[in-house]
Amino acid sequence: MKSRTIETRKGTRCRVFEAGSGVPVVFFHGAGGLLTDNPFLEGLAQRCHVLAPEWPGYGESTGDELLEDMLDFALHGWDLVEALGLSRPHLVGHSMGGMIAAEMACLAPRDLSRLVLVGAAGLWIDAQPIPDIFAMLPHELADVLFVDPARGAALLTGGADLSDIEALKDFYIVTQRRLAMAGKILFPIPNRRLSKRLYRLTAPTLVLWGAADRLIPPTYAREWQALIPGARMQMIEGAGHMLPWEQPEAFVDAVAKFLA
């Protein structure tokens, strides 16, 4: 995918990966950011025009000091859409990105076409609390994010050998930088009363979930579906929280069919 840097009116500068043609689809990544390989984006780009911005504080994007709370993130999302010159795009958000996309859709329900929430954060069920990723060591993350932790660890690290102290140090620094940004809206628990605003959401919505998600279990998918008027729900077998990376073909097929 090609990349370019755009600047929003607020002053953030964000790298955007882009490929494909046709209807615009904006993909918002989660707290872990985009990985070295993102085959699901290339697959989706074969069917539509995919734009995947990195949040400030991730990759080469800057301006994270300008975003302090959930409202800042949601408005930043719309600032990105404006800077990209898009009108009523489809929004697809994974995990934290899904939380932000849902907030965007509640703020401006007529400014998007369709919404896909993939393992979205943003709700809280007391009977099934979400594990605290901020308390985990880097090597523990793969256990809750992936069905296959060994393959997941390789994806998270880009194949780096974490037994090498320098590789571990680099991975730790990048991970902590990302989590520091994500912590502004996810710490200590990802509950910003979004559930009270979901009644405003009018865009057709697909709730897409990994059937074996150990971070945000499928109970949350059913809660999203119950709270969003007319929402559809689809489970993908053989996938955990990192569904787009674990089952890229199934992800692309589900999203493309819904958006069509």
Side-chain angles (χ1 to χ4, degrees), residues 68-74 96 99-100 102-104 106-107 120-125 130 132 134 179-198 220 224 227:
E68 297 181 4
D69 55 26
M70 189 64 245
L71 181 58
D72 282 348
F73 276 80
M96 179 185 77
M99 177 183 183
I100 298 168
E103 287 278 11
M104 291 169 63
C106 292
L107 283 174
L123 301 182
W124 186 263
I125 300 173
I130 297 170
D132 183 4
F134 299 96
L179 290 180
M181 186 62 177
K184 294 182 180 183
I185 56 175
L186 295 179
F187 183 83
I189 58 174
N191 183 10
R192 299 296 172 266
R193 305 296 185 266
L194 172 57
S195 60
K196 293 166 50 176
R197 298 181 282 281
L198 291 176
Y220 282 85
W224 279 104
L227 290 170

Side-chain angles (χ1 to χ4, degrees), residues 9-21:
R9 285 195 290 168
K10 192 176 182 70
T12 60
R13 291 178 57 83
C14 295
R15 180 169 62 174
V16 180
F17 294 95
E18 184 173 7
S21 60

Side-chain angles (χ1 to χ4, degrees), residues 4-10 12 14 16 51 76-86:
R4 59 185 168 115
T5 299
I6 62 172
E7 184 169 354
T8 67
R9 285 195 290 168
K10 192 176 182 70
T12 60
C14 295
V16 180
L51 303 106
H76 170 73
W78 283 123
D79 288 345
L80 283 173
V81 169
E82 177 187 56
L84 289 166
L86 304 177

